[in-house]
Amino acid sequence: MIFHKMRVSELYKVFVITGILLVIIINLVTIIGIRHNLNKVNVELIGDTNLLANINEEYKDPGINVNRHGRTVKYDVHESNNIDITKFGNYIYEYDIVVDGKTYKLTRNVEVVDKSMPIINVEEKELIRDYCSKAISKEPTYKATDNYDGDITDKVTKKDNGSTYLLSVVDSHGNKNEVSIPIKDQEEPKNKIVLNGYKTQTIYIGNEYKDQGAKVYTGCGIELPDESVTVEGNVDTNTLGTYELTYKNDKYNISAKRTIYVTKKTEPVVNEETDKPGNGKVVYLTFDDGPGGYTMQFLDILDKYNAKATFFVTNQFTSYQWVLGEEARRGHTVAVHSLTHNWNIYNSVEAYKNDFNAMNDIIEQQTGKRSNIFRFPGGSSNTVSRGHSRGIMTTLSQVMQSEGYQYFDWNVDSNDAAGANSTQVYNNVIRGIKNTSKPVILMHDIKKSTLNALDDMLRYMTNNGYKFGTLDINGPIVHHGINN
Ligand SMILES: [Zn+2]
């Protein structure tokens, strides 16, 4: 019984001691663990382990986080990377971090890709829809550029969506951008009176004037055959002067005007001399930059000598457009110079052609015929164009000739554009025609000095047996050397 009791009490002691030891060991482990945990440093990348960088754009790594249980720790860091931002590919961005003598390494994968969408710049805030054609009155002017592809304007696609006009472009890596421009509907254009025949007419005194009348058209150009037009005003063909006729339609309260000049006929000067220095030699008078305020006077003096000339024309003085018709009716050649005579036409082939074609449209409206000959502003040898587009003159001369046009420079310069006075203009021209076999003479019908020299010049030419020729596609072809 006692033995039994003792056995029990000994066992009890063993249990108690073991228990105490276990408690001590557990506590020690816990304390060491907590202490270890308290010392633990947390080192991590800010952001994803895999990041994208944009080609040709500075890459800035988001950095790292170093702390001990949220508290800042002192550390040393060394950053390094092998990124070439100009080349697509996979790169490494590394951090070597030293905290309390212990080194940590963090690595991020950076892939250089093209993630920027191209930019479309459009000049127009709004487009207009033409009432009659239902088409856009003027296509938008735009430019598309991409950080990687550069100028991708030619990749832009256009779509007319009715109330908006959509321009979209995709770069070579599939990044897309779109610009939507609102379209405003043009109001219905008013009806109008359209003259039959020319808006301005010149008739010689004593000749009969026959009015060709006028018709009423809708704003979209459809004739309204039942509408009557009354004419007010008269033309006295026996009295020199300027006459104005007014055409009216009362129903629509619209009108139009025609101007008729009754002028004196200048008798051609007959050349009776046959054995003179220039006998039979043909001179080619050319006049650039008009028509302008003096051109009608040029035409009258030319008529006096029955001299025909070639006019390289512009639209710089829009109120004289009608003179183009007058030039053609009097037997002169009307050829293209430039709509605007602005050097910007040399920015591109497209810019040049737009200007060229717009001028030829006006020539066709006024004379009934397009021209296939032209003179480059500044001549084909000009160097001004270099500042606008390298090699443009080389390209243009080839493109235009391949499309059936011929350009003309000159081999006699009156120097009127450079400010020569009328005596100098006369001397430059006369000296020039004596020394040149097929003289193509550069003059400007917007220069008063040339106007003042013209009568004397033509009298000299006539009296010395020169003939007057006009230029056509066959020549005589005078080309300067191209310098751009
Ligand atoms: Zn010019």
Side-chain angles (χ1 to χ4, degrees):
M1 189 72 187
I2 288 167
F3 171 78
H4 191 80
K5 266 184 180 174
M6 275 181 67
R7 288 286 301 265
V8 169
S9 81
E10 264 177 31
L11 264 178
Y12 179 78
K13 274 182 190 165
V14 171
F15 274 128
V16 170
I17 288 164
T18 311
I20 288 167
L21 280 173
L22 269 174
V23 168
I24 289 167
I25 288 166
I26 287 166
N27 278 338
L28 275 174
V29 167
T30 308
I31 288 163
I32 289 164
I34 285 169
R35 290 200 57 179
H36 178 80
N37 220 12
L38 277 172
N39 274 325
K40 202 187 160 193
V41 174
N42 176 42
V43 172
E44 63 188 12
L45 291 169
I46 298 174
D48 242 319
T49 318
N50 299 302
L51 284 182
L52 298 179
N54 203 14
I55 186 95
N56 293 332
E57 224 173 69
E58 199 196 340
Y59 172 74
K60 218 177 159 319
D61 197 81
I64 53 168
N65 236 328
V66 181
N67 60 59
R68 189 178 278 138
H69 289 281
R71 294 201 193 135
T72 51
V73 198
K74 278 196 173 170
Y75 63 94
D76 284 326
V77 64
H78 176 73
E79 294 177 42
S80 61
N81 72 78
N82 65 348
I83 299 173
D84 180 355
I85 204 68
T86 65
K87 288 196 178 79
F88 296 116
N90 290 294
Y91 301 94
I92 300 283
Y93 201 103
E94 274 181 345
Y95 288 93
D96 289 299
I97 306 132
V98 181
V99 190
D100 294 339
K102 210 175 161 199
T103 303
Y104 303 82
K105 201 180 192 73
L106 290 176
T107 303
R108 196 194 307 274
N109 301 311
V110 178
E111 188 182 359
V112 173
V113 295
D114 181 14
K115 56 177 183 173
S116 293
M117 60 183 187
I119 297 164
I120 307 177
N121 276 314
V122 189
E123 270 179 31
E124 292 80 3
K125 298 256 176 298
E126 184 182 71
L127 297 173
I128 308 289
R129 185 179 305 287
D130 184 79
Y131 180 88
C132 303
S133 71
K134 302 293 172 218
I136 300 299
S137 299
K138 190 182 158 284
E139 293 269 309
T141 313
Y142 56 87
K143 196 175 161 89
T145 44
D146 182 66
N147 64 324
Y148 185 74
D149 299 336
D151 190 337
I152 50 168
T153 306
D154 59 340
K155 300 241 167 19
V156 174
T157 57
K158 297 173 273 187
K159 194 165 178 249
D160 186 342
N161 287 336
S163 61
T164 57
Y165 196 84
L166 191 71
L167 300 176
S168 52
V169 72
V170 182
D171 73 11
S172 60
H173 299 98
N175 300 300
K176 186 181 182 183
N177 198 3
E178 290 185 337
V179 171
S180 173
I181 316 161
I183 303 175
K184 196 178 147 191
D185 285 319
Q186 187 192 44
E187 278 176 33
E188 183 176 356
K190 289 201 178 99
N191 290 354
K192 58 193 174 190
I193 290 180
V194 177
L195 302 179
N196 301 324
Y198 296 100
K199 239 185 115 181
T200 309
Q201 269 175 257
T202 305
I203 55 165
Y204 294 127
I205 191 161
N207 282 4
E208 190 195 354
Y209 172 73
K210 219 175 154 299
D211 190 66
Q212 292 176 274
K215 291 183 185 114
V216 177
Y217 284 77
T218 68
C220 293
I222 297 160
E223 192 186 331
L224 297 172
D226 297 334
E227 292 301 327
S228 64
V229 175
T230 55
V231 188
E232 287 173 9
N234 76 308
V235 181
D236 179 358
T237 58
N238 291 313
T239 309
L240 292 174
T242 304
Y243 299 89
E244 200 167 77
L245 299 178
T246 304
Y247 302 77
K248 283 185 176 167
N249 173 279
D250 293 333
K251 183 169 161 192
Y252 297 115
N253 192 25
I254 46 177
S255 64
K257 281 180 168 45
R258 190 191 323 263
T259 308
I260 294 105
Y261 297 100
V262 175
T263 63
K264 202 161 67 179
K265 182 156 184 156
T266 44
E267 291 301 321
V269 175
V270 179
N271 172 25
E272 287 168 351
E273 320 263 344
T274 53
D275 199 18
K276 291 279 179 164
N279 193 19
K281 186 165 160 181
V282 181
V283 295
Y284 298 88
L285 308 169
T286 71
F287 297 99
D288 290 11
D289 293 1
Y294 303 134
T295 306
M296 284 301 285
Q297 295 174 68
F298 274 81
L299 294 179
D300 285 344
I301 297 170
L302 288 164
D303 276 355
K304 185 172 156 189
Y305 294 92
N306 202 18
K308 304 302 177 209
T310 305
F311 288 86
F312 290 103
V313 301
T314 70
N315 193 42
Q316 297 181 97
F317 313 99
T318 46
S319 58
Y320 294 100
Q321 269 183 13
W322 61 274
V323 177
L324 296 171
E326 202 54 36
E327 289 170 355
R329 277 191 291 286
R330 297 196 193 191
H332 305 291
T333 295
V334 181
V336 180
H337 193 33
S338 164
L339 183 84
T340 58
H341 212 291
N342 185 314
W343 297 117
N344 288 341
I345 61 172
Y346 293 135
N347 283 353
S348 65
V349 172
E350 196 194 0
Y352 182 82
K353 279 195 177 174
N354 286 343
D355 176 272
F356 180 95
N357 290 331
M359 190 64 239
N360 225 349
D361 289 346
I362 296 173
I363 292 175
E364 187 177 19
Q365 282 160 23
Q366 299 292 334
T367 71
K369 207 177 108 192
R370 297 182 85 75
S371 177
N372 59 0
I373 64 170
F374 67 102
R375 175 173 284 159
F376 286 114
S380 67
S381 56
N382 81 77
T383 51
V384 188
S385 57
R386 280 184 200 162
H388 292 263
S389 180
R390 270 286 186 193
I392 188 79
M393 298 315 298
T394 309
T395 310
L396 284 177
S397 59
Q398 287 165 0
V399 166
M400 295 303 283
Q401 288 186 98
S402 74
E403 292 182 9
Y405 298 101
Q406 185 55 267
Y407 67 93
F408 290 83
D409 292 315
W410 56 89
N411 50 26
V412 173
D413 190 350
S414 69
N415 246 339
D416 58 352
N421 64 32
S422 57
T423 309
Q424 291 164 332
V425 166
Y426 177 89
N427 288 337
N428 290 338
V429 171
I430 301 306
R431 195 185 314 119
I433 62 171
K434 286 178 186 165
N435 297 331
T436 314
S437 68
K438 284 179 179 170
V440 175
I441 309 162
L442 173 68
M443 292 177 281
H444 295 80
D445 53 315
I446 56 169
K447 289 287 177 186
K448 189 125 197 224
S449 54
T450 303
L451 177 65
N452 290 337
L454 190 65
D455 198 296
D456 287 348
M457 192 191 293
L458 298 183
R459 187 181 315 109
Y460 175 92
M461 291 168 177
T462 305
N463 288 342
N464 287 284
Y466 290 91
K467 304 268 180 263
F468 301 98
T470 54
L471 299 173
D472 64 35
I473 194 92
N474 298 311
I477 291 164
V478 176
H479 283 177
H480 295 163
I482 284 175
N483 293 315
N484 176 29

